[in-house]
Amino acid sequence: MLDNAFTDIPQAIQLALAPVFLLTGIAGLLNIMTGRLARIIDRGRKLVEQPLPEALMNAEQVQRELQILEYRRTVASHAITACTLSALLVCMVVMTLFTEGLLQLNMQWLVGLFFVGSTLSLLVGLSFYLREVYLATRTVRILR
């Protein structure tokens, strides 16, 4: 039985490779999302700390933009949270695959559960991200 456990480790590594690539993709998405969140926060700080001249924007417009930025910040934060949960669940998939190989247990149902959870969480995160991008493009001001 001990020999079997050591021969299954390379197979566990092979099985864990696909989730690791998924994890790399999620990390890239998180990098983009945190960049967007940083830009939202920077814009809000700029409006609060250094208000634009009255000729460009009045107090009511500034307040409205701050409300929109706050909503976008919340949506972006939800997107980051959901994608981070997805990444954590992918890590659980990898851990479960190795545990299954090391202990010679049948944990396929748990691997499937973690993977489906990860995919659903990624779907939610991407939906929030899409919503934030829509809000950003809808509320952009282009001065002539």
Side-chain angles (χ1 to χ4, degrees):
M1 180 157 173
L2 193 57
D3 284 340
N4 235 3
F6 286 112
T7 59
D8 286 343
I9 297 303
Q11 183 182 6
I13 292 171
Q14 288 174 341
L15 287 173
L17 260 159
V20 169
F21 285 122
L22 177 60
L23 195 56
T24 303
I26 294 171
L29 287 170
L30 284 169
N31 188 29
I32 292 168
M33 290 178 187
T34 54
R36 291 189 69 83
L37 181 60
R39 290 173 73 197
I40 292 167
I41 291 169
D42 288 346
R43 175 66 180 150
R45 282 185 182 150
K46 185 176 180 182
L47 284 174
V48 171
E49 294 171 0
Q50 301 169 357
L52 296 174
E54 288 287 328
L56 294 177
M57 199 177 221
N58 63 32
E60 190 177 295
Q61 288 173 316
V62 170
Q63 193 58 35
R64 177 69 182 138
E65 185 166 349
L66 286 171
Q67 289 172 345
I68 291 168
L69 287 171
E70 176 60 22
Y71 182 65
R72 283 181 56 203
R73 185 200 59 78
T74 301
V75 172
S77 180
H78 289 324
I80 291 168
T81 300
C83 287
T84 302
L85 176 61
S86 178
L88 289 171
L89 288 170
V90 170
C91 290
M92 295 299 291
V93 167
V94 173
M95 187 185 76
T96 305
L97 286 170
F98 276 103
T99 302
E100 183 178 37
L102 285 172
L103 301 178
Q104 295 294 303
L105 298 173
N106 183 1
M107 300 171 68
Q108 292 175 358
W109 63 273
L110 190 56
V111 170
L113 185 68
F114 285 144
F115 186 76
V116 168
S118 174
T119 304
L120 288 174
S121 185
L122 184 59
L123 177 69
V124 169
L126 289 173
S127 297
F128 277 120
Y129 176 70
L130 185 62
R131 176 70 179 154
E132 194 280 319
V133 169
Y134 170 77
L135 289 168
T137 57
R138 198 179 104 218
T139 59
V140 72
R141 291 178 327 197
I142 299 175
L143 300 175
R144 294 181 193 189

